[in-house]
Amino acid sequence: MNINIYYGGRGIIDDPTLFVLNKMQEILEELRVKVTRYNLYESKNTIPTLPQTLKDADGIILATTVEWYGIGGYMQQFLDACWLFGDKERIAEVYMCPVVMSTTYGEREAKQNLSTAWEILGGRPCSGICGYIENTVTLEMSEQYVRIIEKKAENLYRTISQRMASFPASNQAVKQKVAVMKPNDLTPQETEQLSRYVSDDSYVQRQKQDIQELTSLFRGMLSEGDADNEEEYISTFRRYFKPQPGFDAEYALAIEGKKKKLILSVRGPKLECHYGNTVRPDVEMQLTRGILEDIVNGRMTFQRAFMSGGMKTKGDFKVLRTLDQLFVFEEKGL
């Protein structure tokens, strides 16, 4: 059995949907299901090609997070692509389980929207999961919530393996009468060629390699005569370091334009600061030089940079929040 997961959230650390998906994937893999996950935020430039991945799927999970309103742009793009480019005959055989976690109002409506969209596409919606989670820790620490997630994964497995039938939906009847697709500007030959290219993994990998080589070439040209300064920012972090008793952590900052990461290793009252690589930092951050300049000049905190989307982060969220207590930068001119 093959089940694909399409995640439409932003991939932030404390996204409750990620915890639900990880737990469901764990249960399904224990049942010897082949699970493939597609993070739409990582594939935002190739979302129109993703309906091709449905051809080998027995079931799918459409998962998203309601952060302010609705199912989010990435998931909407994927559903649009299924409508425009998907194989409707193949979709009609695919079961879909909606998973929607919300940090604000609207999780039930979003879950219903996913089910309705899949019905209009001709697919088979299953019972899904939705809930309001203010703090992901609450979800992780609750055995009852974890058990609900496990049961939903088991029910999805049974539904697909037994090929359970369902009553016809009015959405499909209405679609046959009023939902007429507009003609595509592409010729059948162009559409077929596009489908072949996007489903050819070797072609896609070659394109990625070419882009990476060009990126490295231009970076090398820009950096000629301007060696990577391995002392930059180190003295600043040392100057504003405020030790936290009994706190140990390691941070890795990937700064745009820097070949090596800035490693901040905190061991109680001691700070080791250098450029290099580390195997498993507690928190790994990716940010531009401009964002880092705002932080070290006291115009912005690490937490605010993360919440505004100016800094991408993965790792322990609690350790990330301590970073602003370890380094209290003062705004220049005050």
Side-chain angles (χ1 to χ4, degrees):
M1 182 186 298
N2 297 324
I3 293 181
N4 292 350
I5 297 175
Y6 300 90
Y7 167 65
R10 294 189 296 132
I12 59 178
I13 293 177
D14 58 342
D15 188 342
T17 305
L18 290 176
F19 176 80
V20 176
L21 291 181
N22 291 337
K23 183 59 65 175
M24 291 186 73
Q25 183 171 347
E26 178 184 331
I27 298 301
L28 291 170
E29 289 177 344
E30 288 178 0
L31 296 170
R32 298 187 178 181
V33 176
K34 180 182 178 182
V35 181
T36 305
R37 185 183 298 194
Y38 297 92
N39 295 324
L40 301 185
Y41 69 91
E42 294 178 347
S43 308
K44 55 186 176 182
N45 295 326
T46 57
I47 288 178
T49 68
L50 288 182
Q52 299 292 329
T53 61
L54 294 170
K55 61 183 179 181
D56 297 323
D58 300 298
I60 66 171
I61 297 174
L62 295 183
T64 190
T65 306
V66 178
E67 295 186 271
W68 76 283
Y69 181 78
I71 62 175
Y74 295 139
M75 183 59 67
Q76 187 63 57
Q77 288 182 51
F78 174 71
L79 292 171
D80 288 345
C82 290
W83 175 253
L84 295 171
F85 309 115
D87 184 346
K88 303 302 189 298
E89 293 183 1
R90 183 68 191 90
I91 291 176
E93 301 174 358
V94 178
Y95 291 86
M96 186 279 293
C97 173
V99 174
V100 179
M101 293 291 111
S102 170
T103 57
T104 181
Y105 175 81
E107 72 281 356
R108 295 183 182 276
E109 290 79 0
K111 174 175 170 286
Q112 183 60 42
N113 287 342
L114 291 178
S115 297
T116 301
W118 198 249
E119 283 182 342
I120 294 177
L121 286 167
R124 304 178 180 183
C126 306
S127 174
I129 304 175
C130 69
Y132 167 74
I133 303 296
E134 184 177 6
N135 190 331
T136 307
V137 176
T138 305
L139 179 63
E140 296 174 355
M141 299 301 292
S142 172
E143 294 183 2
Q144 292 180 332
Y145 291 161
V146 171
R147 188 58 185 156
I148 291 173
I149 298 169
E150 292 174 347
K151 283 292 185 183
K152 285 294 183 181
E154 293 169 359
N155 290 338
L156 175 61
Y157 174 79
R158 293 191 190 97
T159 300
I160 298 175
S161 60
Q162 297 175 15
R163 306 300 296 178
M164 291 184 179
S166 59
F167 283 109
S170 60
N171 292 327
Q172 297 180 9
V174 172
K175 180 194 70 172
Q176 295 173 359
K177 295 181 180 180
V178 301
V180 181
M181 289 199 51
K182 294 183 179 181
N184 198 323
D185 292 335
L186 298 176
T187 66
Q189 292 79 9
E190 290 172 334
T191 303
E192 181 180 1
Q193 186 178 27
L194 175 63
S195 300
R196 287 178 179 176
Y197 277 137
V198 299
S199 61
D200 185 350
D201 290 337
S202 61
Y203 173 80
V204 174
Q205 291 300 323
R206 286 198 303 273
Q207 296 302 307
K208 290 182 177 179
Q209 290 174 2
D210 290 344
I211 293 173
Q212 289 176 352
E213 290 176 1
L214 287 172
T215 302
S216 299
L217 174 62
F218 283 116
R219 281 180 178 172
M221 294 172 62
L222 290 172
S223 62
E224 282 184 2
D226 184 18
D228 204 10
N229 184 2
E230 295 195 357
E231 294 297 322
E232 190 175 14
Y233 300 118
I234 289 180
S235 60
T236 303
F237 276 94
R238 288 175 176 167
R239 185 184 314 126
Y240 290 100
F241 176 57
K242 295 184 181 298
Q244 301 295 313
F247 181 79
D248 295 342
E250 188 172 61
Y251 303 89
L253 284 74
I255 307 168
E256 184 181 36
K258 291 284 188 182
K259 298 177 182 178
K260 298 180 181 179
K261 297 177 182 178
L262 177 59
I263 309 300
L264 305 175
S265 182
V266 179
R267 296 291 179 266
K270 296 182 179 180
L271 170 66
E272 294 183 7
C273 190
H274 65 277
Y275 283 93
N277 293 308
T278 184
V279 179
R280 289 185 178 179
D282 295 287
V283 177
E284 187 170 351
M285 295 161 282
Q286 183 178 356
L287 70 171
T288 64
R289 184 182 293 269
I291 293 293
L292 184 56
E293 286 289 337
D294 286 341
I295 293 173
V296 299
N297 286 296
R299 295 189 294 268
M300 181 181 292
T301 63
F302 285 100
Q303 179 71 12
R304 182 181 170 191
F306 168 68
M307 297 300 293
S308 65
M311 180 177 71
K312 296 181 180 179
T313 308
K314 62 180 180 180
D316 192 328
F317 185 67
K318 293 180 181 178
V319 176
L320 171 64
R321 287 186 291 188
T322 310
L323 193 58
D324 286 317
Q325 300 173 16
L326 292 169
F327 302 98
V328 183
F329 299 103
E330 299 175 358
E331 186 170 0
K332 301 299 184 291
L334 294 180

